[in-house]
Amino acid sequence: MASSMIRVWLPEPDAAELMGGLPDGMVADVWTGDEQLPDSAGAVEVVVLPFGVPPSRMPVLAKLPRLRLIQLMSAGAEHVIPFVPPGVTLCNARGVHDPAVAEWVLAVILAQVRQLPRFLAAQQAGTWDPVRSEPLAGQTVLIVGYGSIGEAVERMLVPFGVTVERIARRARPGVSGLDDLPAALPNADVVILLVPVTPATTGLVDARFLAQMHDHALLVNAARGPVVDTGALLAELRSGRLRAALDVTEPEPLPDGHPLWSAPGLLLTPHVAGAMSTTGPRVMAVVADQLARYAAGEPLLNIVGSQGY
C-alpha cells in the first residue's frame, strides 16, 4: 500500500460499505474500541470513534502519532474532549439524532401530560382508574439549549398549540440567553433540557433552578445526566411538586436500588432517545461526508472548539 494513502479507523466491519465506499486515497482498518489496536496505530490519521468507548480506553488516542481527526457518531462530545491530543481536531455528529430525540421529547411530554404512566400502572394492577388529564394545547414550553435538536422539537410541538420559548448560551433574535433563565422558568409548564455538558451547564438544574419552576411543571432531560442535580430533583419529585421525564441520569446507568427507580412522577428511559432504526445510516452519511472533506483538504463540519459545541 502506498505510503501516501490516508489511514482511517472505522468502528465496524461493514462501515465502509454502509458509506458507499471510501474516498479515493483512503484505506480503512476496523477498531471497535477494544484493547487490541489495529497494526496501523502508527499511521492512522482519522479515527471514527465507536459508540460506548469507556473513559479508561480514551488515553490511547494520545498514543497515535499521526492522528489528526477524531470524528464522533454522537452530538455529545464531553466524554472525549479531555482526551483530545494537541493538534487533533474533534468533530461531532450534530444533526444526526435530531428527529429521533425530538420524537422522544414529544412522546414523553404527551405521556406525562395525559398521565399514561398512571394508566399503565393501573392496567398492570388490574384497576379501572379513570381521571381527567390536562391538554398540551395552550401550555408554554421552554427549550433550554436551543440548537438543531431544539428546532426539531419546536417543529413537532407547534401543531399542538403550545407557546415555545427558547434559551441558548448566547442570545440571538428570537432566542434568549442563559441570563434570562430566571425570568423564563416561572412561566414554563414544560422545561426541556438540550444543552451539552460544559463547565457552565454541569449542575445547571440545581435546587434554585427547580424552585423557580411553578407547581406541577414538567422537566424533560434529553441532554446529559450531569446537567441535573439528582438530589435536588429527587426532593422535588418526592414532594409531588414537579414531574420529570429523563432519558439520561447521573449516575448512568442507574445502579440497583437507586432512588430514581422509584421516584414518584418520573418517567425514565435508559438513554435511548436517539436510538432508532434509521440512526445508523444517518450517522454513516455524516461520516462519509466528513471523510470526503478530509481527503480533499476541504473545511470540516461540526468542529468542537475551545468554546464548546
Side-chain angles (χ1 to χ4, degrees):
M1 190 66 65
S3 60
S4 61
M5 296 292 282
I6 299 170
R7 182 72 61 166
V8 56
W9 285 357
L10 298 177
E12 53 191 62
D14 60 349
E17 181 180 351
L18 291 173
M19 291 187 293
L22 291 171
D24 291 342
M26 273 193 172
V27 62
D29 293 312
V30 175
W31 181 52
T32 60
D34 56 14
E35 294 184 7
Q36 182 65 41
L37 300 180
D39 293 338
S40 56
V44 64
E45 294 183 39
V46 181
V47 172
V48 181
L49 198 69
F51 285 120
V53 177
S56 61
R57 200 90 78 248
M58 292 295 183
V60 74
L61 297 171
K63 300 177 181 179
L64 306 176
R66 296 191 63 186
L67 182 63
R68 295 294 177 267
L69 169 64
I70 301 170
Q71 175 63 51
L72 303 181
M73 298 193 293
S74 62
E78 73 285 344
H79 59 303
V80 183
I81 290 173
F83 302 98
V84 177
V88 175
T89 300
L90 175 66
C91 296
N92 67 3
R94 184 180 189 269
V96 165
H97 305 286
D98 293 3
V101 175
E103 283 189 9
W104 179 89
V105 169
L106 179 60
V108 297
I109 290 174
L110 286 170
Q112 287 288 61
V113 168
R114 297 304 304 268
Q115 301 196 52
L116 297 191
R118 171 178 177 150
F119 297 134
L120 178 59
Q123 177 188 350
Q124 292 172 335
T127 303
W128 196 256
D129 183 28
V131 65
R132 289 183 180 179
S133 58
E134 58 193 287
L136 179 56
Q139 296 204 24
T140 296
V141 177
L142 175 65
I143 300 175
V144 182
Y146 190 80
S148 63
I149 298 178
E151 293 171 359
V153 168
E154 180 172 4
R155 286 193 296 272
M156 290 190 179
L157 281 174
V158 165
F160 287 86
V162 303
T163 298
V164 177
E165 302 291 341
R166 311 162 194 88
I167 295 278
R169 183 177 59 186
R170 288 185 293 270
R172 56 186 188 270
V175 182
S176 300
L178 281 174
D179 290 344
D180 297 305
L181 258 179
L185 284 171
N187 300 318
D189 302 298
V190 181
V191 177
I192 303 170
L193 304 175
L194 296 173
V195 295
V197 173
T198 67
T201 62
T202 298
L204 173 69
V205 183
D206 55 11
R208 181 179 180 184
F209 181 110
L210 296 169
Q212 293 170 327
M213 295 173 62
H214 70 66
D215 290 356
H216 308 301
L218 171 64
L219 179 74
V220 178
N221 189 5
R224 288 292 187 270
V227 172
V228 176
D229 181 327
T230 300
L233 177 60
L234 277 168
E236 293 285 12
L237 293 174
R238 287 167 170 164
S239 74
R241 200 182 72 81
L242 297 180
R243 299 167 294 168
L246 307 178
D247 187 52
V248 289
T249 60
E250 178 61 28
E252 187 177 306
L254 281 184
D256 292 344
H258 193 281
L260 278 177
W261 287 118
S262 57
L266 174 62
L267 175 56
L268 180 65
T269 61
H271 204 151
V272 294
M276 290 179 63
S277 60
T278 55
T279 298
R282 287 175 62 89
V283 169
M284 287 299 108
V286 168
V287 172
D289 180 55
Q290 197 78 300
L291 294 183
R293 288 172 176 273
Y294 184 89
E298 297 176 353
L300 300 175
L301 300 178
N302 302 326
I303 294 175
V304 179
S306 59
Q307 299 302 311
Y309 56 105

